[in-house]
Amino acid sequence: MVEVYFKSADTPFAKDALFLAIEKFMEKANINKNEIVAVKLHMGEFGNVGYVRPVFVRKVVDAIKKKGGKPFITDTTTLYGGKRGNAIDYLETASVNGFNLASMNCPIIIADGLFGNDEEIISVNGSKIAIAKAIFEADYLVVLSHFKGHGMAGFGGAIKNLAMGCCSKNGKLWQHEVTKPLHDSSKCILCLKCTKFCPAEAIYEENGKIKIDYEKCRGCGACLVLCENHCFYLSEDSVKKFHERLAIAAKAIMEIFKEKVFFINFLMDITPRCDCCSFAGRPIINDIGILASKDAVAIDKASYDLVLKEAKKDIFYEEHKIDGKLQLEKAKILGVGNMEYKLIKI
Ligand code: SF4
Ligand code: SF4
């Protein structure tokens, strides 16, 4: 049974303040003096407001410094359009969203370099995974994840943050090459917006029908989120393959860090979609709290169970028609972590 620590969002008194839990959680992280610690965090797309709040991240940074570690906050560039596609745009967006040297008291380094190609290749299960170099080179990894819905993974938490979040553009492309969408023309009103927002210019109109050029498509999923008529969708087979690739990429990161990794999941502002969207949307459930563990699968399973318990149904499946448990099962089979956990309330 893996230990998963839980601090409820129910905070009736000052002594229960949520950010105080971060100090207690971080006592469990086996960080040594002078170790370079990558604090992996999605700092939010420009316009999104659902990402992990800066005050929690600062608390993590302070706790690492107290242990003598040398933290830096990090994330990787994206595959799609938006304001995080290269390191300059990302650092500007991060600063607007509250993450900079002054507020965090540590450097922010975009781990896959200026254009997302700074990488190291790791072989796992016969696949070559491109890992963002600054993450690869760190001594210790602390993974901070906003637990919320996700259009391709059902939900996004620690596994998704490890897998997609720690890879360079090539690593992301490999995971996304199995998620090229299908198009349902019966729902389409031919507004042609998708032909403009596809970052690969893969969508076009021909003889009154929307077509996808699969040679160009990167499988980024932007069309799944942005078409207001929900015309784009994934086949069951591509969802399964995507979850399998997520698990393989997560395994690659775990091969690098082994025991030198710690996870914190934030079950707050639980939005239907991920923080890559340029909007957050209304949370679909009340805040639940914060969890911490040394095991990515256990913390995601515990997070998922708590959301289902609070909602009394699978709100992620209801939203996306994708079973998020698939990523847990695939990750468990590959040895990323364990499903069995013991919830310890603090
Ligand atoms: S955005 Fe959606 S509704 Fe508009 S043309 Fe594209 S597929 Fe059709
Ligand atoms: S067609 Fe959709 S999934 Fe493919 S690149 Fe364009 S927006 Fe991304």
Side-chain angles (χ1 to χ4, degrees):
M1 295 281 256
V2 178
E3 292 183 343
V4 177
Y5 304 96
F6 173 51
K7 170 68 184 159
S8 167
D10 196 10
T11 54
F13 303 108
K15 67 175 175 51
D16 302 315
L18 262 180
F19 72 84
L20 296 177
I22 300 289
E23 288 169 15
K24 289 188 185 157
F25 289 153
M26 289 304 292
E27 283 167 15
K28 312 284 178 194
N30 52 330
I31 296 167
N32 297 318
K33 199 163 179 234
N34 289 329
E35 281 182 332
I36 303 285
V37 183
V39 180
K40 168 65 184 74
L41 166 77
H42 189 314
M43 290 173 273
E45 182 51 68
F46 186 78
N48 191 292
V49 291
Y51 54 87
V52 176
R53 289 175 204 172
V55 63
F56 294 124
V57 184
R58 174 61 188 264
K59 275 285 180 194
V60 171
V61 167
D62 290 346
I64 294 168
K65 286 191 171 184
K66 207 168 154 191
K67 285 171 177 275
K70 294 178 185 290
F72 69 96
I73 292 170
T74 192
D75 197 9
T76 52
T77 59
T78 60
L79 277 184
Y80 44 82
K83 300 248 169 28
R84 296 182 305 125
N86 62 59
I88 304 295
D89 288 349
Y90 199 150
L91 288 173
E92 283 185 0
T93 297
S95 188
V96 169
N97 286 352
F99 302 96
N100 52 48
L101 179 62
S103 63
M104 294 294 113
N105 198 26
C106 78
I108 299 178
I109 299 171
I110 301 305
D112 55 349
L114 194 52
F115 294 111
N117 303 316
D118 207 359
E119 62 198 20
E120 287 285 340
I121 308 296
I122 297 274
S123 289
V124 175
N125 276 30
S127 303
K128 291 194 185 319
I129 315 297
I131 311 294
K133 192 153 185 173
I135 290 174
F136 176 86
E137 289 181 335
D139 298 316
Y140 196 102
L141 181 65
V142 175
V143 181
L144 309 183
S145 308
H146 175 214
F147 198 79
K148 72 280 148 184
H150 189 278
M152 292 178 175
F155 61 78
I159 296 169
K160 175 92 189 1
N161 205 356
L162 272 181
M164 197 66 73
C166 292
C167 280
S168 64
K169 275 196 167 60
N170 282 327
K172 291 187 176 82
L173 268 174
W174 177 77
Q175 291 170 73
H176 273 296
E177 71 187 11
V178 293
T179 60
K180 300 194 175 181
L182 302 168
H183 180 262
D184 179 355
S185 57
S186 69
K187 295 179 180 171
C188 181
I189 57 164
L190 274 179
C191 68
L192 301 186
K193 283 181 191 161
C194 52
T195 62
K196 296 181 186 80
F197 63 56
C198 171
E201 297 180 358
I203 306 176
Y204 60 100
E205 182 267 334
E206 192 178 83
N207 299 328
K209 289 226 157 134
I210 288 297
K211 299 271 170 80
I212 301 170
D213 181 339
Y214 288 108
E215 291 290 314
K216 288 184 178 174
C217 172
R218 302 172 198 161
C220 73
C223 52
L224 272 75
V225 174
L226 293 168
C227 171
E228 292 169 17
N229 294 292
H230 309 292
C231 296
F232 297 94
Y233 64 100
L234 297 178
S235 70
E236 242 179 67
D237 186 49
S238 67
V239 170
K240 275 189 196 144
K241 284 182 180 153
F242 179 61
H243 286 236
E244 194 161 270
R245 290 197 175 194
L246 278 180
I248 294 171
K251 175 74 177 167
I253 306 295
M254 292 305 292
E255 299 261 296
I256 300 166
F257 290 98
K258 299 186 169 64
E259 301 296 312
K260 306 290 285 177
V261 62
F262 193 71
F263 302 93
I264 302 182
N265 277 9
F266 294 83
L267 279 62
M268 304 169 67
D269 301 309
I270 301 172
T271 47
R273 291 166 215 91
C274 70
D275 303 346
C276 293
C277 298
S278 58
F279 61 102
R282 181 193 275 182
I284 45 181
I285 192 168
N286 286 336
D287 286 354
I288 293 173
I290 310 177
L291 287 88
S293 180
K294 292 179 179 165
D295 188 307
V297 180
I299 196 172
D300 274 2
K301 176 72 165 63
S303 302
Y304 177 71
D305 289 346
L306 283 168
V307 170
L308 261 62
K309 191 175 164 202
E310 175 80 17
K312 300 185 178 60
K313 58 184 175 179
D314 190 339
I315 46 176
F316 300 132
Y317 186 81
E318 202 170 86
E319 188 70 35
H320 300 295
K321 303 291 175 282
I322 284 175
D323 185 357
K325 288 197 299 302
L326 258 179
Q327 57 174 299
L328 297 171
E329 284 155 12
K330 302 273 183 197
K332 190 201 158 179
I333 290 166
L334 280 178
V336 176
N338 297 287
M339 290 261 227
E340 294 75 32
Y341 65 88
K342 184 170 139 196
L343 201 65
I344 301 168
K345 293 185 182 172
I346 66 158

